[in-house]
Amino acid sequence: TKKDIVTGDTIYRDHSGKITGHIPLEKGREVFIISGRHEGITGSVLSVEGNKSNVKYHGGSALLAKSALVVLK
């Protein structure tokens, strides 16, 4: 439901704009970094702290804004 969706989650919409799917941003999820220094890298969420997420990627980890991430699975 819409009330379960929070900032940082990924939603899927159909052509009319109706929400057809939802993947929450949470520990263990695979993410794609869409902005900032690590843009274009995929990684996994180690933790979610307020409006930031600690993401582990090949070669390191970083504390990133939720708005810089898209949840893949």
Side-chain angles (χ1 to χ4, degrees):
T1 64
K2 289 182 183 179
K3 64 183 173 188
D4 297 329
I5 299 171
V6 296
T7 302
D9 291 357
T10 295
I11 58 169
Y12 294 97
R13 293 180 171 204
D14 65 14
H15 65 280
S16 68
K18 181 179 176 185
I19 296 173
T20 60
H22 166 241
I23 305 174
L25 177 64
E26 59 191 11
K27 183 178 179 178
R29 295 285 186 176
E30 184 177 343
V31 294
F32 182 73
I33 304 169
I34 60 169
S35 65
R37 180 179 187 178
H38 306 290
E39 182 177 353
I41 297 174
T42 57
S44 61
V45 176
L46 297 174
S47 65
V48 179
E49 307 160 9
N51 66 347
K52 296 192 181 258
S53 294
N54 191 4
V55 176
K56 180 179 180 182
Y57 56 88
H58 181 69
S61 66
L63 188 60
L64 303 169
K66 287 181 179 181
S67 61
L69 306 172
V70 172
V71 184
L72 299 175
K73 55 183 171 177

